[in-house]
Amino acid sequence: MNDAYLLLTPILMLLVVGLVGFVGCDLLFGLDEVPTPADAPTGFQATAGNRRVDLMWDAYAGASAYEIKWRDTDGNSGTFSVAGGETTYPHPFLTNGVEVFYTLTATVSGKPSYATQEVSAIPGIGVVISFVEQKFNGSNRNNFDGWVGMGIRVGAADLSVVSLGRWFFPGDPNVMPPLPRNTATHEVKIVDRGTGIDVLAASVDVDISAADPTAPGFDGFVYATLQPDPITLLRNGEYYIVSREVNSGDVFLNADTRITITNATDATLQYSVYGDVAGAYAEAASTTNVYGPVNFLYQVMPP
């Protein structure tokens, strides 16, 4: 073997290593340089609402667009594209009680940044929701002594009932004899449909005289808060919500009164209901009609 060649080998290797360092592996071997993604956006957070999640984040310098990826615990997923000047995004039409997870990336000079850490929210959790969305008044009545209201079926998640309410009648001077404004206090309670027994501690006295129809947000109902704690209505359970009425007392509305439901995935209307003083109840199947009407405010409980 040629001794001179052996002596030159280390020198040749040093030259090759130097050449690679000078021109770069990508030029020497025809490889494209892989750029390092920019840092992830900051301040990304998700806030639960009724059947929705509201997303927000900090403005990202130079962002031409954002991409939001989401998935939920029911196996659904998707992607939203958001303009670069935006820092909020509403995600509506979700199912209350089903957790949704999100990540966010920013696009800068046509290239995506690193994704944020995953954030999540459960729609309906911590949000007070009215069972009744709208009501359409039926005929007036005040010649009944007993209980009137509605029967409901709870959906796939437990509900925490915060308050019970009874409709307020403002009076009607245009009939003979004129009908006065509601002024009485009415007991409103929850009854287990299966047993006909009152749900323990699920009864309140609603002072109709306290109604202020001019107050911001007044929805036609007067409410009383359940004390000392909210009452849990169990998933898939059926319950009556009824108000105590007396003969020749405050006006209430007959079962030709119709309502719409805020969120039918949480609970649905099943019956219009009335009962005698002793609590023997009669029901008529209906997804629209009620007596009273009565209402309740609730939160969806975590799964």
Side-chain angles (χ1 to χ4, degrees):
M1 183 176 292
N2 192 319
D3 291 340
Y5 175 77
L6 291 175
L7 291 174
L8 286 173
T9 298
I11 298 173
L12 292 173
M13 290 300 298
L14 287 174
L15 290 173
V16 170
V17 171
L19 179 63
V20 169
F22 180 74
V23 302
C25 290
D26 55 333
L27 294 179
L28 185 63
F29 299 107
L31 301 176
D32 293 330
E33 182 180 359
V34 178
T36 301
D39 292 338
T42 59
F44 190 42
Q45 55 186 292
T47 303
N50 177 28
R51 296 191 62 203
R52 63 183 286 156
V53 171
D54 292 301
L55 303 167
M56 63 182 300
W57 56 91
D58 298 334
Y60 196 101
S64 59
Y66 297 97
E67 183 177 83
I68 298 168
K69 292 184 178 180
W70 67 274
R71 63 181 180 87
D72 67 23
T73 51
D74 278 352
N76 303 301
S77 62
T79 301
F80 300 117
S81 294
V82 183
E86 302 295 329
T87 56
T88 62
Y89 189 83
H91 188 188
F93 311 120
L94 299 171
T95 301
N96 282 346
V98 176
E99 190 168 11
V100 191
F101 300 84
Y102 300 90
T103 60
L104 174 74
T105 58
T107 300
V108 180
S109 300
K111 299 173 183 176
S113 69
Y114 278 116
T116 61
Q117 291 291 319
E118 202 168 50
V119 300
S120 71
I122 307 176
I125 301 299
V127 181
V128 176
I129 303 167
S130 170
F131 176 75
V132 176
E133 180 182 43
Q134 288 183 296
K135 65 178 183 64
F136 304 90
N137 291 2
S139 54
N140 298 325
R141 184 172 179 180
N142 70 338
N143 61 345
F144 177 77
D145 192 29
W147 299 91
V148 300
M150 61 186 178
I152 67 158
R153 178 179 295 153
V154 179
D158 294 346
L159 303 183
S160 177
V161 178
V162 177
S163 301
L164 299 176
R166 193 258 193 201
W167 172 69
F168 165 72
F169 178 64
D172 188 352
N174 298 316
V175 298
M176 293 302 295
L179 293 173
R181 163 189 169 123
N182 283 175
T183 58
T185 296
H186 297 261
E187 182 183 1
V188 181
K189 66 180 181 179
I190 303 175
V191 180
D192 186 305
R193 177 178 178 263
T195 63
I197 298 174
D198 297 355
V199 175
L200 184 65
S203 174
V204 293
D205 290 328
V206 178
D207 182 5
I208 298 296
S209 66
D212 180 5
T214 65
F218 181 74
D219 64 354
F221 292 93
V222 182
Y223 297 95
T225 302
L226 288 163
Q227 299 290 347
D229 298 301
I231 296 295
T232 299
L233 301 187
L234 299 178
R235 66 194 65 186
N236 304 315
E238 293 194 348
Y239 301 88
Y240 297 147
I241 292 87
V242 288
S243 170
R244 180 71 168 90
E245 306 298 327
V246 299
N247 195 25
S248 300
D250 279 349
V251 167
F252 64 92
L253 297 178
N254 250 323
D256 54 352
T257 300
R258 295 183 299 110
I259 63 171
T260 60
I261 306 305
T262 300
N263 187 1
T265 61
D266 295 342
T268 54
L269 176 66
Q270 297 291 311
Y271 315 98
S272 61
V273 175
Y274 67 90
D276 61 20
V277 175
Y281 298 100
E283 60 185 32
S286 178
T287 58
T288 56
N289 290 66
V290 298
Y291 287 99
V294 290
N295 196 12
F296 63 96
L297 306 179
Y298 66 91
Q299 295 177 328
V300 179
M301 297 189 68

